[in-house]
Amino acid sequence: MKPQLLYRDDVSVTQALPTNIDAMMGDLELDTLFSAMAAGDGFLYSAAKEVILTAPPEPATILYRQQILDDCLQQPTVFQEIYGVALEALDVQRQHYFGFIRANPGSTLSGSIDVLDAYIPLLRHVRTIAMQSASMARSPGFKRFIEMVQHELSDTYLDEIATHVRNLKSGRGVLLEAAVGHVGTQIDYRFLRPAPTGWRDFVPSVLSHDAYSFDIAPRDDAGFQALESMRNRGVMHVTNAVAHAADHVRAFFEALRTELAFYLGCLNLYGRLMAMNLPVCFPTVTHPGQAVFSATGLYDVSLALQLGEQGQVVGNDIAADGISLVIITGANQGGKSTFLRGIGLMQLMAQCGMFVPAAQARMNIVTGLFTHYKREEDTTMTVGKFEEEVRRMSDIADAIASGSLLLCNESFSSTNEREGAEIGRQVVDAMTDTGVKVFYVTHLYDLAHAFERHPGSGVLLLRAERKESGQHTFKLLERPPLATSYGKDLYCRIFDDDDAVCTETAPTGMTPALDDR
Amino acid sequence: MLELVAQLFPDEFAELDSYCRRSASYVDDRIGRFEREVQFYLAYLDYIAPIRARGQSFCYPQVSTEFRELRLVGGYDLPLAAKLAREGASVVGNDAQLTGDERALVVSGPNQGGKTTFARMIGQIHYLAELGLAVPARSAEVFLPDRIFCHFEQEERLSTLRSRLENDLERMHDILAEATSSSLVILNETFSSTTLSDATFLGKAILQRLLERGLFCVYVTFIDELASLSGATVSMVAMVDPVDPARRTYSILRRPADGLAYAAAISHKYGLDYEQLKHRIGS
């Protein structure tokens, strides 16, 4: 009995987190995303982190999750209620398992029986919720879950468990059978079902008629010990069975909690984004190696979450199907970094089966996501800034493979323009020629320009828009790179004074203040 | 016998006893201050002892608030020297001079050539000189600045909601708002997050403002034009081994900027050439 709400097939997937996780956490501001999903709950945070960073590499599973998530968004209370029951179940376990030690079969038995007893009403509750919501379930995954619950947790079955538990708890002693073995040893101890209670008590059972009996003298310690040992050997099998059953149910509730935690995280995020009137959609995700990437109204979900309801993020359209290299240039403060982060976040969210921050989106699965962002000076005084960048790119080269996505933000800008551009060009060429998709934000005009002269060949050149007035729209348009990024605008705004260079061209309506975003 | 005397005069001895207990932790103010202050000198001496033991020079600088000049021979970065001393190595010293109307040291040259270390060193020597300590150099004549400002690159973070360049400019603006003609400003790779033509424009505009202020400045950059901006700028270039450009010598000499960063040598060393990289990437 497994919830199977994340994977359609019963696979126990234990994927390791990617090795470049630290870089990705910072570069893509993943903490903001995970925190929004967690809404203060540490368990939801780790579930979100794990599911998002260990995405399954095939479209069928993604679709499977998208459909379940859609059910969850339609009927949030159903998912929340089941999650609540799972939490209760794990509380039960915590209370009971605390009190006994596994070594002694007798006490293990009573502990397991108590736990199992406490689980029964919770299993019934899960089943009731499942029955009530059966009509609304549309996703194969959630339907399967409901059917499984109805089938495996039928009334007959639950009643049977309850009867067993009642019998085991009855405390009327145990009935054992044993055979006589070599040289008179007792072997093959077996626990027998106790005689039923009620009117049958008056009918002597097959086993109990003709019974001989004797009493152990009250001070015969050895006698009592022998009896206890006999009892333990007899209940061994039952103990194992009951403990097994309790473990099984516990594992079910644990899996249920972990898997639902992801969907509840999505629900929290959905609530936040809806409150800000931001669009989300389920993307079409295709197989790796197809070079698909198109979206409309794509925005950076981390930025949106940080700005909150007062802020307004700008959505961008991108049509990069059949494209293996996207070069993003243009004005400072024009939304390039934000766009790049938006791309990375959308890819990650899409690959784990979530909705994505866009009005419409499709993309191919990538087998790995890597970020190469410019960093601060290394404080350990071992390497210079450029060497540090090069070293990180070399680490990426060790891990990256065909079918991956590489996001570069101002890579190789810590050397002079000519040489930085040349190194960047060689790296990009080698990456794209080996089947790695690259998005590259750069101020290196020589680099961007080199790919402009590369006709066709799957290159898309985007540039942050700047109006004649000097205003930034935070929109990215398909345009060739320019030799300037309008740093002068920024200079004149920040130093706004009589500097001759600012007054000579006198651009009107300077760049928008931050709140205007 | 004293015990018996104490029995005879219980009140007096009780008072003496409580006085002793009260004053057990008494430290004379001046002695206390001396102890605290001398700790500072001792700590510094302890810190530089292993560096000295490697034969690296320290000197007491000639300081002035009138002669606006810098003459430095064999200056080196102190924390780097301390780190290398622990690893059993020595650090390369460099000379620097600003005489007459010269005000700015513009440092260019290859990556990993010691430019940042040089900029840090100039700042440290001024700071240590102001504290009255021995400075890591063979000899030093230093003008004492009223304040030292630093402008090093910072990582871009969403929490600031500003682009890197905007952040750079804002910080520069704040420095210019406070710096006086007697300040020292140290800039490291400022404005690298824009196109070359923008960076050149911004670098010139900012350096011009700094020079107009008449203050001292160290400017680490890849933009060669800045090195010859005016008579007040002195061009310093980080040198490479002429035989093997991937080997840096860490010496920084006064000479015209040559526009060579030798970045390719480093990228080759890390296997990032087109052919190297293509073979490394798995399929």
Side-chain angles (χ1 to χ4, degrees), chain A residues 480-515:
Chain A
L482 295 178
T484 177
S485 291
Y486 303 102
K488 200 163 111 181
D489 287 2
L490 210 50
Y491 172 79
C492 293
R493 177 160 70 75
I494 289 169
F495 284 85
D496 80 318
D497 60 6
D498 46 357
D499 203 317
V501 291
C502 296
T503 44
E504 67 198 15
T505 48
T508 50
M510 285 302 174
T511 43
L514 202 59
D515 333 320

Side-chain angles (χ1 to χ4, degrees), chain A residues 29 332-333 374 376 384-385 387 394 398 402 410 414-415 419 426 433 443 483-487 491 493, chain B residues 83 111-112 153 155 158 163 165-166 192-193 195-198 201 209 222 259 261-263 270 274 280 282:
Chain A
E29 306 273 350
N332 300 288
Q333 191 72 10
K374 196 172 166 188
E376 271 170 31
K385 222 180 327 184
E387 183 155 1
S394 180
D398 286 335
S402 178
E410 294 196 29
S414 61
T415 179
E419 299 185 19
Q426 296 204 18
D433 285 357
H443 285 295
T484 177
S485 291
Y486 303 102
Y491 172 79
R493 177 160 70 75
Chain B
K83 180 173 179 258
N111 302 289
Q112 193 69 2
E153 267 205 323
E155 202 165 310
L158 189 50
S163 75
L165 182 67
E166 185 179 19
S192 62
S193 73
T195 61
L196 179 60
S197 80
D198 282 8
F201 163 80
R209 278 171 183 264
F222 278 112
Y262 300 98
Y270 281 93
Y274 176 79
R280 291 174 67 187

Side-chain angles (χ1 to χ4, degrees), chain A residues 377 383-385, chain B residues 75 77 80 91-92 94 107-122 188-189 218 220 237-240 248-252:
Chain A
E377 189 89 32
V383 293
K385 222 180 327 184
Chain B
D77 182 20
L80 180 60
V91 65
V92 175
N94 278 300
V107 190
S108 63
N111 302 289
Q112 193 69 2
K115 300 194 297 295
T116 300
T117 306
F118 179 83
R120 249 193 336 244
M121 176 272 283
I122 299 284
N188 188 24
E189 301 290 15
V218 180
V220 175
V237 179
M239 308 306 287
V240 295
R248 308 312 198 214
T249 64
Y250 303 113
S251 67
I252 295 190

Side-chain angles (χ1 to χ4, degrees), chain B:
Chain B
M1 214 187 310
L2 199 58
E3 265 177 46
L4 296 175
V5 175
Q7 276 177 24
L8 209 56
F9 303 96
D11 290 349
E12 286 79 355
F13 274 82
E15 200 176 319
L16 184 61
D17 186 38
S18 89
Y19 174 79
C20 287
R21 221 169 298 154
R22 272 202 316 277
S23 322
S25 60
Y26 173 79
V27 178
D28 178 78
D29 251 5
R30 265 166 302 177
I31 293 173
R33 212 162 50 235
F34 172 79
E35 196 267 346
R36 206 162 46 246
E37 289 177 1
V38 81
Q39 281 298 337
F40 171 71
Y41 295 102
L42 293 174
Y44 186 69
L45 288 175
D46 277 353
Y47 182 77
I48 67 173
I51 306 168
R52 272 201 162 132
R54 296 201 56 81
Q56 301 218 252
S57 322
F58 280 86
C59 71
Y60 286 98
Q62 277 187 36
V63 297
S64 167
T65 48
E66 278 145 42
F67 295 104
R68 305 170 75 84
E69 294 198 342
L70 169 70
R71 285 170 213 274
L72 186 65
V73 179
Y76 55 90
D77 182 20
L78 189 55
L80 180 60
K83 180 173 179 258
L84 290 180
R86 280 194 297 276
E87 294 163 7
S90 296
V91 65
V92 175
N94 278 300
D95 303 347
Q97 279 199 4
L98 287 171
T99 54
D101 291 333
E102 293 167 350
R103 287 290 175 271
L105 293 167
V106 178
V107 190
S108 63
N111 302 289
Q112 193 69 2
K115 300 194 297 295
T116 300
T117 306
F118 179 83
R120 249 193 336 244
M121 176 272 283
I122 299 284
Q124 284 164 17
I125 287 192
H126 283 84
Y127 194 76
L128 295 171
E130 289 195 305
L131 292 176
L133 295 172
V135 301
R138 279 209 298 284
S139 79
E141 289 173 46
V142 173
F143 171 75
L144 292 183
D146 59 354
R147 286 181 68 180
I148 301 173
F149 296 92
C150 291
H151 190 287
F152 281 52
E153 267 205 323
Q154 283 179 352
E155 202 165 310
E156 197 168 16
R157 274 286 164 256
L158 189 50
S159 50
T160 66
L161 289 176
R162 293 194 300 203
S163 75
R164 190 191 287 263
L165 182 67
E166 185 179 19
N167 199 21
D168 277 353
L169 280 168
E170 292 279 7
R171 285 193 294 139
M172 197 61 237
H173 182 257
D174 295 347
I175 290 173
L176 274 164
E178 291 184 40
T180 73
S181 64
S182 298
S183 299
L184 170 65
V185 179
I186 297 171
L187 301 107
N188 188 24
E189 301 290 15
T190 310
F191 315 131
S192 62
S193 73
T194 185
T195 61
L196 179 60
S197 80
D198 282 8
T200 309
F201 163 80
L202 293 171
K204 280 182 179 169
I206 296 297
L207 187 55
Q208 199 63 55
R209 278 171 183 264
L210 293 169
L211 293 175
E212 277 165 17
R213 191 74 47 103
L215 47 68
F216 280 99
C217 120
V218 180
Y219 200 130
V220 175
T221 184
F222 278 112
I223 303 160
D224 297 339
E225 287 103 307
L226 296 185
S228 51
L229 192 68
S230 79
T233 55
V234 171
S235 175
M236 306 286 292
V237 179
M239 308 306 287
V240 295
D241 186 331
V243 184
D244 172 13
R247 233 199 94 231
R248 308 312 198 214
T249 64
Y250 303 113
S251 67
I252 295 190
L253 302 180
R254 184 170 176 143
R255 61 180 56 190
D258 59 9
L260 292 174
Y262 300 98
I266 293 181
S267 113
H268 179 77
K269 187 171 117 193
Y270 281 93
L272 294 183
D273 290 356
Y274 176 79
E275 287 299 333
Q276 290 174 312
L277 194 52
K278 217 177 147 184
H279 284 108
R280 291 174 67 187
I281 299 172
S283 49

Side-chain angles (χ1 to χ4, degrees), chain A residues 20 293 324 343-344 347-348 351 366-371 396 400-407 435-439:
Chain A
N20 57 340
F293 197 97
S324 56
I343 298 279
Q347 185 76 42
L348 274 182
Q351 291 209 172
V366 298
T367 50
L369 178 60
F370 296 85
T371 53
I396 289 176
I400 206 165
S402 178
S404 295
L405 174 63
L406 173 63
L407 305 177
V436 175
K437 200 193 276 191
V438 182
F439 281 72

